[in-house]
Amino acid sequence: MGTRRGRGLLAVGAAALLLAGCGGGGGDAGAAALGKKQATSVLPDAKAVPGWRMYMEPDAQEPVPGYPPSTCVARTKEQRKTACDPVTFWGASAFSRKSDKTTLDFWILAYEDEKTADAAYDVLAQWYGGDRVGQNAEKVEIGDPGAEHVANRAAVGTLAGPGTITQIRVGTTVLGISTGTTGKAAVPDKEIEAFAAMFAERAQQAQNGEKPSAAIPGS
């Protein structure tokens, strides 16, 4: 499921977790483990996504033992051990666009090394991929972001309108993007692709020791 290049929140709400777009950008040139501040900096802020109203500011935290991050969901107990127990930091930021009643959510799961993130990605792709966004979901082409990525869209998601879920692995991180609406128009593929590339680039910048600055054009 998804695509590989090489082999290498703070609750967003139930609807946000099920409606998303899979994407990202950047490769594994640098695959350093991220600290709390770095994980927070990867999450897009208002400057990174112009035209959207931010209703949840970027924030990352250390998981509470025994309580996996709400964005880390797996089918079995063993899969949760693989994907959720090793999470070092996790967080989210969220936006809305009143004009078409659309939500846009980003989340990050950070791991201690690339191998652990790779194994987690495979588990999470089984959960968020395919029909998780809604029945009869179809693949969305988003270019070639990150080391691995998968994106699917359903005509009817949990907000009653079209929804897309995107997942990307960049080095030691697994990223998620979701879009959903109560309206009738889906967020276009090109926008999903741009969100994915921007988010993945921010993750790569952080792992390179840089301050994430990638943003959607127009900021």
Side-chain angles (χ1 to χ4, degrees):
M1 181 179 303
T3 303
R4 293 173 182 267
R5 182 169 66 234
R7 180 57 195 175
L9 321 214
L10 331 187
V12 182
L17 298 183
L18 296 180
L19 290 171
C22 285
D28 288 344
L34 301 182
K36 179 179 179 180
K37 290 184 178 180
Q38 290 174 306
T40 299
S41 72
V42 172
L43 294 162
D45 56 14
K47 292 182 179 180
V49 284
W52 294 79
R53 180 182 66 84
M54 184 172 64
Y55 67 85
M56 179 183 290
E57 295 185 358
D59 190 21
Q61 64 182 17
E62 191 172 358
V64 177
Y67 296 91
S70 60
T71 51
C72 188
V73 188
R75 296 179 183 275
T76 68
K77 183 177 181 180
E78 286 303 312
Q79 288 181 329
R80 285 193 293 275
K81 287 183 178 179
T82 297
C84 305
D85 289 358
V87 171
T88 54
F89 296 98
W90 69 287
S93 61
F95 305 79
S96 66
R97 192 163 59 189
K98 187 176 181 180
S99 60
D100 55 3
K101 301 178 182 179
T102 299
T103 61
L104 170 64
D105 305 304
F106 297 91
W107 64 88
I108 181 173
L109 297 171
Y111 298 88
E112 62 180 5
D113 55 43
E114 184 179 349
K115 181 179 180 180
T116 306
D118 188 10
Y121 173 91
D122 292 340
V123 168
L124 294 167
Q126 292 181 40
W127 179 263
Y128 283 118
D131 284 355
R132 181 56 52 181
V133 66
Q135 292 186 354
N136 301 316
E138 297 182 352
K139 185 177 180 180
V140 177
E141 295 296 337
I142 56 170
D144 197 20
E148 306 172 73
H149 60 269
V150 58
N152 290 280
R153 174 182 292 119
V156 180
T158 57
L159 294 184
T164 309
I165 291 180
T166 303
Q167 180 177 294
I168 313 153
R169 182 178 68 81
V170 180
T172 61
T173 63
V174 176
L175 312 174
I177 309 170
S178 72
T179 66
T181 181
T182 57
K184 297 181 179 181
V187 174
D189 290 4
K190 285 297 183 181
E191 284 192 50
I192 298 296
E193 182 176 354
F195 292 144
M198 175 270 293
F199 198 13
E201 184 177 353
R202 291 177 70 90
Q204 190 61 65
Q205 289 174 324
Q207 290 176 62
N208 289 343
E210 306 168 9
K211 180 179 180 180
S213 59
I216 298 299
S219 59

